[in-house]
Amino acid sequence: MEEPLDFEQEDQLVRTPLRPTNTNKRSKVIGLDDLLTDYYEEKNKYVHRKSKRLSLSKRDNSDEDDKSQKYKERMLSKFVHDCEKQVNEMSAEEEIPLWGHRVFGHQKSLPSTEYKGVADCQLLQPSSIGDLMSVFHLNEEQGESFLEGLLVNRWLCKLAFISGFVEDSTATWVFNKMLYSSNGELQVSACEFWCNILLSKDEADKPLVSLGWFPGYSQLMDALVTYGYLFDTSITRSSLSQEVHTDKPEGPPENISSWIKVISACCQIRSPRSIFSISEAEELLCIISHFSLDRELQGLLFIINECMQSLIIFFSEEEWDVSCKRVAKSLAFRTPKDLNCLRVVECVSVTNGRSKQLRSQIALQLLTLRFDTKVNDYKEILEVLMSVNVKDKDCKFFELYIYLVLVENFFLFHHLGEEKWVAIDTWCKFLRNCSSQITSTDWRSYASKVRNKASYILQTTVERSC
Amino acid sequence: MVNPNRKRGGNCSGGSSRENRSNNNNMDAWEENTMAILDSSGFKDSQDVHDDRLCFLEAVRSASLASEPSTAPSWRMFDAVFQILVDCNSLELAMASYQLLTELDKRYSRVYVMKSDNTESSSNGIGNLVVVKEAWSPFNLASGGERTAKDSCSLFDSVRFSTLIEDMVQAVNKLSFDLVIKAVGNLLLFQYLVNVLEEDLLPRLTVYKETLNWLLLKESVLNILLGSRKLNFKSLVRDCMSILLKRCHHNIPNNLQGLRSSEDTCSQSSQDCDVGLSIAVSELEKETCVAIQKFFKLVMELDVARKEADMHGLTSRLDGFRLPILEIVVDELTYNRDSLPPFLVVFSEPKWKLEIILQYFSKYVTKSSVRTRRSNEKSDGATLAGMLNNFSTAANTKNIVKRVTSGAAQLLLAHAFQAYLSLVHDSKQIASSTERIGATLSEICNSLISAFRNLRKTDEGLEITSFAKEALFAAAMVLKRKP
């Protein structure tokens, strides 16, 4: 191949300029390889010599090869060990737990849902339906089980609508079935019964069924205690398992979804004030929002949100400002100071002005609680943020990330009035610091998240304020 | 993710003459920035990808729902949100994307009725139907339309829709699950799609009833979806029925207590704990049964409108032909008699439940001797009173029981009565169903009781089911309260 082919020889013009460049290139590549091999050979020799010298200095040149081999092994194992240690340190630093917070501890024993005054139940009086009883043996399964059948097969609800009222004893019985029955079918039909009755209205917006007994805050709270809701969040999981009644199941029973739904329905009736007072509604809103932190209840997010929206509408225009702040404050106290802060804020689904305000307030309250230095309003928070040096080696990026998201949420929904522009200006300055001073090669955990988040918020803030 | 040096400045150009363009630029920049959150290049583990997706959903939410003024997401962004629901990598993402899509649909409706300000037309109460052409939809039904196959790969056409339902049937029949989350995703997806179909059809139906403009319904997503030749409508209905019959029950461990003790709940390694999934599934099972009934109801309403349009000569050959869903359901119940009782228990939508029972029953009633096309349509005129009339005397009852069997008869009577009772207290529903009743409340109750007396007379050993006993009890109570 090196020799020119017959026809190539004829065409000197084509051949001559090509050949030299080709050979040049090839020799150049070979030269680089050679250099490398030379370099490694040299280095090997050096190491070899060094180890030789080392072993020589200690002993005579017996078992010389073996010695150098052992030395190499020792060096390698030390190196590996160091690496391992570093990796462990890195992963320990990066281990930031996912959000998730148990809001339910051990259940207490569920109370009996037996119908107490079944003998006095108007509905079941035998005289009421004449000879049908005997003809069809309706009296065979009297009392509670017959009533249960009526409930599960949805007759009870129809009868309530036809007669226009529900006896008190029946109302409480169904309500207790809903809260405490472990029979899924019964529990679900009981919830359906109550939601249908509470939400029904005629054309004149009047309820179709008049109730002598309404569900109340205290019954709902009793149920929550029975389900094991942790009102005091200082109880940790470890102290939980040390509790005495460990035979009782942990976490809420399935009835929890009925509990949420019925509160939603209670708030939508014509005069919800007859059921909840303002402070009770505040407490419920706080508890419902708190539910969104429990990973076990993730699948109920949709009904949790519906319930939150119904509770938010409960308040009148004048009450809302104060109540919103109060709910946010108490929720912030119940929220652990980690990723849960972000979860609780982001679970307030913003569809109207009020839910925006709630989200913003929760963010603000969480911020004020999180800063060790006492801050009272957003201006001071911004000042503290501005003092953070992102170039600092010990900069806590995870914390910074949480502040970033919280402040963003606070700003998105808050009406700052005239000082708005000053605040936004400072905010943008801080965002610019984060996005430009953190290098893209910063591998520390959450460094890139802070950088990316800051630059995204910066973009949208700038666009919006143009 | 976002390159901070990209797109800085340049978006602030204002000026009234260029406002439109600058808005467009803003939109482009916003889309670019937000989509960049999902950019998975660079060093990222699965948790990072997960976080990025949540971040993306949150960014869309805050820009399109929370800020003032808010803008609808672009189609590309909508596609991405929908894709997250379709992928369904975790319960958290599935719930968040479902919720976001639902709320976006509420805010940016695709079809709505606008009452015109024009006094002349408003006196007639006729609203105008507004179809927002630019609105995104999870359905891609246009053949060779604007959206090519590439940019709409996750969108639904007829084939994908029926595949989704087939998957749901498989999940219900499965004995064990490797990935419960996939089943959860499908249930959420189905619910979302049915909601989209409903939001599209209902306003069209409202305007159609006023104007008899068939074109409005012809162009509805539901009609196009089901009219496709690629879709086997009959098997789709059967699939839906089989899910309903099982109450959408999934065979996953649902004993919460057992689940909690078997594993250290919610370990850090797994995103979704078994207890969380189990609670989610049991909630979704209920909601899916409601969604399937809603789907049936929509198709039935469409079918009724179609029939009316046919009679008015508003349709043409081009409209194609599809069996009415009611016929398929009734046939299915006739051939699989075992499925009649569970179906009647789970199907609770009163208006159409009564309709199904009346149609089912009319199959057993002696047809008029001359079966012309006309008398065939007469079965439409069946009423609850007419049905009860078949049991008015012992002789009649004996006659009909020979064909229907006494067991099925008591079942049909009791369920028809329940559906009727549900209609009675709903003033809106009863108005549209009066022609199906044909008697007063107390007349119906009396005929029901005498029907059961006659059933008992013809078949001494007949065991009255507890459901029927409850129906009789209810009838007696109604009579007592309303003399």
Side-chain angles (χ1 to χ4, degrees):
Chain A
M1 286 297 284
E2 294 294 282
E3 284 300 317
L5 296 171
D6 292 350
F7 63 88
E8 279 182 314
Q9 253 166 352
E10 286 161 20
D11 198 354
Q12 285 287 329
L13 272 172
V14 180
R15 216 188 67 213
T16 34
L18 269 173
R19 277 197 77 96
T21 41
N22 261 352
T23 38
N24 268 352
K25 229 180 215 167
R26 202 173 293 153
S27 63
K28 200 178 174 188
V29 171
I30 291 167
L32 270 173
D33 280 347
D34 285 343
L35 269 174
L36 264 172
T37 16
D38 283 352
Y39 172 75
Y40 282 118
E41 267 168 19
E42 203 64 27
K43 207 177 177 187
N44 271 348
K45 266 180 215 157
Y46 172 73
V47 172
H48 211 67
R49 258 204 311 271
K50 207 177 161 190
S51 59
K52 222 184 248 175
R53 225 183 298 141
L54 261 172
S55 51
L56 272 175
S57 63
K58 276 186 183 170
R59 255 218 235 169
D60 295 331
N61 46 359
S62 60
D63 290 340
E64 186 184 290
D65 287 348
D66 195 35
K67 276 284 146 195
S68 78
Q69 191 67 28
K70 273 198 176 149
Y71 173 76
K72 274 184 190 165
E73 274 170 18
R74 211 166 46 232
M75 289 300 281
L76 187 71
S77 82
K78 188 174 181 289
F79 180 70
V80 169
H81 186 73
D82 285 353
C83 280
E84 209 176 84
K85 217 165 123 189
Q86 272 177 19
V87 165
N88 276 341
E89 268 166 17
M90 267 167 81
S91 64
E93 180 196 54
E94 275 182 26
E95 192 136 318
I96 286 160
L98 304 172
W99 65 267
H101 176 57
R102 295 299 300 263
V103 300
F104 285 94
H106 290 284
Q107 286 175 29
K108 310 224 166 16
S109 43
L110 302 179
S112 134
T113 55
E114 207 181 306
Y115 200 124
K116 296 234 167 61
V118 76
D120 300 327
C121 177
Q122 291 281 316
L123 198 65
L124 295 180
Q125 293 308 309
S127 59
S128 58
I129 51 171
D131 70 327
L132 268 183
M133 282 280 190
S134 50
V135 176
F136 296 106
H137 306 289
L138 288 187
N139 48 353
E140 267 173 11
E141 17 172 3
Q142 245 193 359
E144 197 175 335
S145 61
F146 185 67
L147 217 51
E148 278 181 8
L150 286 178
L151 177 61
V152 169
N153 292 323
R154 308 189 185 104
W155 292 107
L156 206 55
C157 188
K158 315 271 182 287
L159 286 174
F161 280 120
I162 300 279
S163 61
F165 86 101
V166 182
E167 276 175 75
D168 290 1
S169 59
T170 315
T172 45
W173 175 74
V174 178
F175 194 69
N176 284 334
K177 283 281 174 218
M178 180 190 81
L179 292 180
Y180 301 117
S181 174
S182 53
N183 174 339
E185 228 179 331
L186 209 54
Q187 185 246 118
V188 169
S189 346
C191 179
E192 214 179 280
F193 174 91
W194 268 106
C195 290
N196 280 341
I197 299 251
L198 287 169
L199 295 176
S200 70
K201 49 186 146 191
D202 61 5
E203 280 127 347
D205 210 26
K206 279 188 185 139
L208 286 173
V209 179
S210 64
L211 291 167
W213 182 89
F214 275 95
Y217 178 77
S218 65
Q219 285 98 352
L220 289 165
M221 279 303 145
D222 288 348
L224 209 53
V225 172
T226 318
Y227 299 165
Y229 179 73
L230 302 172
F231 284 92
D232 182 5
T233 43
S234 59
I235 303 170
T236 56
R237 228 172 108 59
S238 53
S239 65
L240 254 180
S241 42
Q242 283 160 12
E243 262 181 77
V244 205
H245 41 256
T246 36
D247 57 316
K248 289 280 178 301
E250 238 184 306
E254 276 183 74
N255 309 48
I256 189 69
S257 69
S258 297
W259 190 89
I260 300 171
K261 281 180 198 161
V262 88
I263 289 180
S264 210
C266 283
C267 294
Q268 290 172 47
I269 66 170
R270 204 181 182 207
S271 51
R273 295 307 163 102
S274 55
I275 300 186
F276 303 130
S277 71
I278 297 174
S279 64
E280 287 166 354
E282 284 170 3
E283 177 68 10
L284 285 173
L285 182 54
C286 178
I287 290 170
I288 292 282
S289 316
H290 193 208
F291 281 178
S292 58
L293 290 181
D294 198 323
R295 274 192 176 266
E296 287 191 3
L297 301 181
Q298 268 186 91
L300 303 182
L301 187 67
F302 203 74
I303 59 170
I304 287 177
N305 259 310
E306 264 176 356
C307 188
M308 271 165 80
Q309 297 302 332
S310 333
L311 276 162
I312 286 174
I313 298 166
F314 171 92
F315 300 95
S316 75
E317 213 53 63
E318 309 85 69
E319 292 156 5
W320 177 241
D321 272 345
V322 183
S323 292
C324 173
K325 200 174 267 178
R326 244 185 259 156
V327 170
K329 206 167 228 166
S330 118
L331 189 59
F333 270 113
R334 288 183 204 197
T335 309
K337 297 178 179 176
D338 47 29
L339 277 182
N340 284 308
C341 288
L342 304 189
R343 168 81 181 171
V344 82
V345 168
E346 285 172 359
C347 276
V348 181
S349 137
V350 278
T351 45
N352 50 32
R354 286 191 178 190
S355 48
K356 284 182 204 175
Q357 198 182 342
L358 181 63
R359 201 189 243 230
S360 164
Q361 266 304 322
I362 296 174
L364 180 67
Q365 296 301 334
L366 283 167
L367 278 167
T368 49
L369 273 181
R370 278 191 70 92
F371 283 103
D372 293 331
T373 41
K374 278 273 163 256
V375 283
N376 295 311
D377 61 358
Y378 67 93
K379 276 180 253 169
E380 290 172 46
I381 292 170
L382 281 178
E383 270 168 35
V384 178
L385 277 184
M386 283 308 283
S387 67
V388 175
N389 180 8
V390 290
K391 283 180 178 166
D392 191 347
K393 234 184 163 184
D394 297 324
C395 180
K396 290 177 183 157
F397 285 108
F398 173 62
E399 300 235 316
L400 201 59
Y401 183 73
I402 290 183
Y403 296 151
L404 203 59
V405 179
L406 289 179
V407 177
E408 181 207 9
N409 274 295
F410 167 72
F411 270 127
L412 262 181
F413 314 119
H414 204 271
H415 305 290
L416 297 172
E418 295 196 350
E419 295 149 345
K420 189 182 171 186
W421 295 109
V422 186
I424 287 187
D425 213 42
T426 324
W427 175 230
C428 285
K429 219 178 273 169
F430 170 71
L431 291 173
R432 234 164 253 140
N433 282 351
C434 290
S435 65
S436 58
Q437 292 181 4
I438 303 172
T439 65
S440 55
T441 49
D442 198 329
W443 291 117
R444 277 175 293 171
S445 76
Y446 275 87
S448 69
K449 276 195 167 133
V450 170
R451 179 173 170 275
N452 292 333
K453 188 89 194 174
S455 48
Y456 178 77
I457 304 173
L458 188 63
Q459 296 297 332
T460 47
T461 316
V462 168
E463 269 163 34
R464 200 168 294 127
S465 43
C466 290
Chain B
M1 260 161 70
V2 182
N3 176 359
N5 299 320
R6 198 203 305 169
K7 299 272 189 289
R8 181 166 290 171
N11 292 324
C12 306
S13 57
S16 55
S17 60
R18 286 166 58 200
E19 203 171 281
N20 224 351
R21 236 182 91 202
S22 128
N23 274 348
N24 268 342
N25 280 344
N26 268 347
M27 178 75 188
D28 289 347
W30 171 54
E31 182 194 283
E32 202 63 34
N33 281 330
T34 314
M35 289 305 292
I37 300 177
L38 287 177
D39 190 355
S40 58
S41 60
F43 173 73
K44 277 177 183 176
D45 59 14
S46 62
Q47 183 59 42
D48 283 330
V49 174
H50 188 267
D51 289 353
D52 285 349
R53 288 182 169 185
L54 280 174
C55 243
F56 170 75
L57 295 177
E58 196 48 39
V60 173
R61 171 188 296 281
S62 74
S64 296
L65 291 168
S67 51
E68 311 266 352
S70 46
T71 18
S74 67
W75 281 17
R76 219 175 121 215
M77 293 160 81
F78 254 124
D79 282 347
V81 177
F82 188 61
Q83 186 66 50
I84 292 174
L85 178 61
V86 172
D87 288 349
C88 190
N89 293 102
S90 74
L91 191 52
E92 190 179 0
L93 282 172
M95 294 306 292
S97 52
Y98 174 79
Q99 172 119 18
L100 179 60
L101 284 169
T102 309
E103 277 162 16
L104 284 172
D105 282 358
K106 256 184 223 155
R107 174 74 64 92
Y108 306 100
S109 31
R110 298 178 192 96
V111 179
Y112 56 94
V113 183
M114 197 169 66
K115 291 274 173 220
S116 53
D117 294 330
N118 196 332
T119 43
E120 201 182 318
S121 57
S122 69
S123 60
N124 297 330
I126 298 175
N128 284 324
L129 190 77
V130 183
V131 180
V132 186
K133 282 263 185 331
E134 313 84 68
W136 176 87
S137 160
F139 290 102
N140 181 31
L141 300 164
S143 46
E146 302 156 70
R147 311 210 72 186
T148 56
K150 194 185 145 278
D151 66 3
S152 56
C153 47
S154 68
L155 299 184
F156 272 71
D157 57 8
S158 310
V159 178
R160 280 201 72 172
F161 187 69
S162 48
T163 319
L164 172 70
I165 293 172
E166 279 162 27
D167 288 347
M168 283 162 60
V169 176
Q170 270 182 16
V172 168
N173 291 329
K174 242 188 217 172
L175 292 175
S176 66
F177 279 89
D178 307 325
L179 272 175
V180 181
I181 185 69
K182 284 290 163 212
V184 169
N186 282 342
L187 296 183
L188 277 174
L189 202 53
F190 177 75
Q191 270 181 51
Y192 173 65
L193 293 178
V194 170
N195 286 342
V196 172
L197 290 174
E198 185 187 33
E199 284 155 18
D200 177 75
L201 189 72
L202 290 187
R204 289 172 189 271
L205 266 174
T206 317
V207 180
Y208 168 79
K209 277 176 190 153
E210 289 165 355
T211 60
L212 284 185
N213 181 358
W214 167 246
L215 197 66
L216 298 177
L217 291 178
K218 189 185 173 177
E219 287 172 349
S220 68
V221 180
L222 187 66
N223 191 46
I224 301 171
L225 180 80
L226 301 183
S228 161
R229 286 190 191 163
K230 291 182 207 152
L231 181 118
N232 185 343
F233 182 60
K234 209 167 175 177
S235 73
L236 181 120
V237 175
R238 279 200 202 120
D239 283 345
C240 286
M241 283 178 76
S242 76
I243 299 171
L244 266 188
L245 288 175
K246 294 200 165 150
R247 294 190 175 201
C248 193
H249 179 68
H250 285 67
N251 211 342
I252 59 162
N254 57 359
N255 176 6
L256 298 187
Q257 199 175 336
L259 282 174
R260 283 179 182 123
S261 55
S262 68
E263 59 159 347
D264 199 15
T265 43
C266 302
S267 61
Q268 287 295 329
S269 56
S270 68
Q271 277 277 329
D272 309 311
C273 54
D274 285 350
V275 181
L277 278 173
S278 170
I279 292 180
V281 170
S282 73
E283 194 59 35
L284 282 171
E285 283 169 354
K286 285 177 242 157
E287 280 159 12
T288 306
C289 286
V290 175
I292 291 179
Q293 289 182 56
K294 194 194 271 179
F295 175 65
F296 275 24
K297 186 181 152 194
L298 292 175
V299 183
M300 285 167 185
E301 304 264 5
L302 180 67
D303 285 347
V304 168
R306 166 72 196 257
K307 198 166 193 180
E308 190 187 31
D310 278 344
M311 287 201 298
H312 285 89
L314 300 168
T315 54
S316 71
R317 257 165 207 273
L318 284 173
D319 281 309
F321 176 76
R322 176 172 56 75
L323 265 184
I325 189 170
L326 202 64
E327 251 172 62
I328 301 177
V329 172
V330 171
D331 279 353
E332 195 61 25
L333 293 175
T334 320
Y335 295 128
N336 300 316
R337 290 198 111 184
D338 289 346
S339 56
L340 184 64
F343 184 82
L344 290 179
V345 169
V346 73
F347 197 90
S348 60
E349 211 290 317
K351 184 181 169 193
W352 294 104
K353 184 172 178 172
L354 186 60
E355 199 72 41
I356 289 170
I357 293 173
L358 290 178
Q359 285 240 359
Y360 183 92
F361 191 76
S362 71
K363 288 200 157 206
Y364 293 95
V365 184
T366 9
K367 301 271 178 1
S368 52
S369 49
V370 198
R371 285 198 63 192
T372 59
R373 208 179 131 80
R374 230 160 209 231
S375 64
N376 207 11
E377 276 168 12
K378 203 75 184 154
S379 70
D380 271 14
T383 60
L384 179 59
M387 179 180 165
L388 286 164
N389 206 27
N390 283 294
F391 299 89
S392 57
T393 63
N396 280 351
T397 310
K398 202 167 187 177
N399 207 5
I400 193 83
V401 161
K402 263 188 218 155
R403 276 168 273 155
V404 193
T405 76
S406 49
Q410 63 164 320
L411 191 76
L412 292 168
L413 286 171
H415 277 283
F417 180 63
Q418 187 176 55
Y420 166 63
L421 277 190
S422 308
L423 289 172
V424 165
H425 66 75
D426 191 332
S427 50
K428 263 184 249 150
Q429 294 245 32
I430 194 72
S432 64
S433 303
T434 31
E435 72 269 27
R436 285 284 175 265
I437 313 294
T440 63
L441 179 58
S442 52
E443 277 165 11
I444 296 276
C445 292
N446 276 319
S447 340
L448 183 85
I449 293 171
S450 77
F452 272 92
R453 282 184 205 273
N454 286 328
L455 271 178
R456 186 31 92 62
K457 266 181 219 159
T458 49
D459 184 356
E460 286 285 331
L462 175 69
E463 200 170 309
I464 308 275
T465 62
S466 55
F467 189 84
K469 280 182 189 170
E470 285 151 19
L472 284 170
F473 177 80
M477 292 309 285
V478 173
L479 284 175
K480 189 189 150 217
R481 295 258 155 81
K482 291 206 169 156

